[in-house]
Amino acid sequence: MADAARAVDLKNDGNRHFNAGDFTRAEALYSKALIADPTNPSLYTNRAMARLRMSLWQGVIEDCTTCLKLTGENNNMKANYYLSQAHLPLKNYDEALQHALKAHEICVKTGDKSLSAVTAQVLRCKKDRWEDLERKRRRETSSLESEVLSLLSRERDELLSDPATTTDESSRTEIREEWDGKMELLARVFDKAREKDEQRRKVPDWAIDDISFNIMVDPVITKSGKSYERASILEHIRRDPAHALDPVTRQPLLVSDLRPNIDLKRACDEFLEENGWAADW
């Protein structure tokens, strides 16, 4: 039978050790609390938080997965947020992004003050995922270049060794020049593609939040028609809710004045999908 009271005492003791920076002891106390009451979802996220600090990624994933089975995937921001943080160093980029987006969705619905941190995690996931895809693409491109050049070289050598096509030195010279020209042209094509990749990158102005100066993940629009990152403008309002002003018109600004800018969000998503480096702009 669950001993909820003992579990709470152990959790509170664990919290004290966690706040003091003793994550190992905190993790042990949260584990004891879970033995006392394995049905309490918050105990799993508490232990996951300690395990995050200890870089115990698989343990975080196990705790948060169990927590979500108890609460439902759509009802626990912390479990999704911690799952995203644990999957990222394991290079599970799709899973990390999926849980970061779910945590962001829950933050927006509940008005959770962790929205800024979760937004940053979404950007981090998109950047790391893009960089991984980019590394794979570059490896594939380099391998393709080598394979095609090697194939052309073999075809040239076969022609040069065939008596039917090389009746004299003049024909051999002609074959060499023709195939060397093909290989040089192919090399230039790959070089040009690499140069394009290395060109100076620029983030379009419409994608940048004028408060945080980061690319927007979840833009909202004010009555003045100006869009901001949701987390940034909400933080701006929360600093002084009774006297918050629109950054452009300097008129009173309420949370209820904000509306999702769906078209801009779609444009930012598409830009980040092709330019993941911009997440760290």
Side-chain angles (χ1 to χ4, degrees):
M1 181 180 291
D3 187 345
R6 174 167 168 74
V8 170
D9 288 341
L10 287 165
K11 174 187 175 182
N12 291 337
D13 198 9
N15 289 345
R16 285 191 289 273
H17 283 276
F18 183 91
N19 292 331
D22 187 354
F23 307 123
T24 301
R25 182 60 179 157
E27 194 264 353
L29 287 164
Y30 294 141
S31 295
K32 288 182 179 181
L34 279 165
I35 293 173
D37 185 4
T39 64
N40 186 338
S42 68
L43 296 177
Y44 290 98
T45 51
N46 275 58
R47 187 169 68 175
M49 181 172 59
R51 288 177 167 180
L52 270 176
R53 297 298 183 93
M54 299 163 67
S55 301
L56 300 175
W57 313 126
Q58 196 57 48
V60 176
I61 291 171
E62 290 170 3
D63 278 346
C64 292
T65 300
T66 302
C67 178
L68 291 179
K69 287 179 181 177
L70 293 171
T71 65
E73 183 179 347
N74 298 321
N75 300 315
N76 197 298
M77 188 281 294
K78 286 184 178 179
N80 280 288
Y81 182 42
Y82 297 160
L83 269 171
S84 177
Q85 293 180 72
H87 275 298
L88 205 54
L90 294 176
K91 300 183 179 180
N92 300 328
Y93 300 112
D94 289 340
E95 290 88 346
L97 179 57
Q98 172 191 335
H99 287 292
L101 290 171
K102 177 57 67 176
H104 187 278
E105 177 186 326
I106 296 170
C107 273
V108 172
K109 287 181 179 178
T110 61
D112 195 291
K113 292 183 179 180
S114 299
L115 184 58
S116 293
V118 174
T119 299
Q121 178 66 12
V122 171
L123 284 171
R124 192 176 303 116
C125 290
K126 290 191 174 188
K127 174 178 176 288
D128 287 1
R129 178 176 176 271
W130 180 86
E131 287 181 344
D132 181 61
L133 292 172
E134 186 69 1
R135 282 192 295 269
K136 291 176 181 176
R137 185 189 66 79
R138 288 183 176 179
R139 282 197 300 270
E140 290 170 357
T141 299
S142 179
S143 176
L144 177 62
E145 180 182 8
S146 297
E147 289 176 11
V148 175
L149 288 172
S150 179
L151 179 61
L152 288 174
S153 180
R154 285 200 302 272
E155 290 181 358
R156 178 199 61 194
D157 293 344
E158 287 172 4
L159 285 173
L160 289 172
S161 62
D162 185 355
T165 58
T166 54
T167 55
D168 52 31
E169 184 59 33
S170 175
S171 60
R172 283 193 288 272
T173 300
E174 186 177 335
I175 289 171
R176 287 194 195 94
E177 291 178 350
E178 178 184 352
W179 287 87
D180 287 352
K182 288 180 180 180
M183 287 189 285
E184 185 179 342
L185 177 60
L186 182 66
R188 284 203 300 269
V189 170
F190 279 100
D191 285 342
K192 187 171 291 187
R194 277 189 288 271
E195 288 173 6
K196 186 176 181 180
D197 283 342
E198 293 167 2
Q199 285 176 354
R200 182 175 181 274
R201 292 160 169 173
K202 179 176 174 58
V203 179
D205 291 341
W206 51 260
I208 300 171
D209 170 41
D210 284 351
I211 297 176
S212 67
F213 301 106
N214 289 323
I215 191 165
M216 288 184 277
V217 171
D218 185 19
V220 291
I221 192 167
T222 65
K223 288 182 176 180
S224 68
K226 176 68 176 174
S227 292
Y228 301 92
E229 174 60 41
R230 183 189 296 273
S232 299
I233 197 67
L234 285 178
E235 181 62 27
H236 170 77
I237 294 173
R238 284 184 184 130
R239 287 195 190 102
D240 189 1
H243 304 96
L245 301 178
D246 186 304
V248 174
T249 65
R250 310 308 296 170
Q251 295 299 310
L253 180 64
L254 304 173
V255 173
S256 58
D257 293 332
L258 307 177
R259 295 289 181 270
N261 191 332
I262 297 173
D263 289 338
L264 181 56
K265 182 180 187 306
R266 186 180 299 115
C268 289
D269 285 344
E270 290 174 356
F271 180 79
L272 275 175
E273 187 69 24
E274 297 295 324
N275 303 275
W277 52 268
D280 198 30
W281 179 79

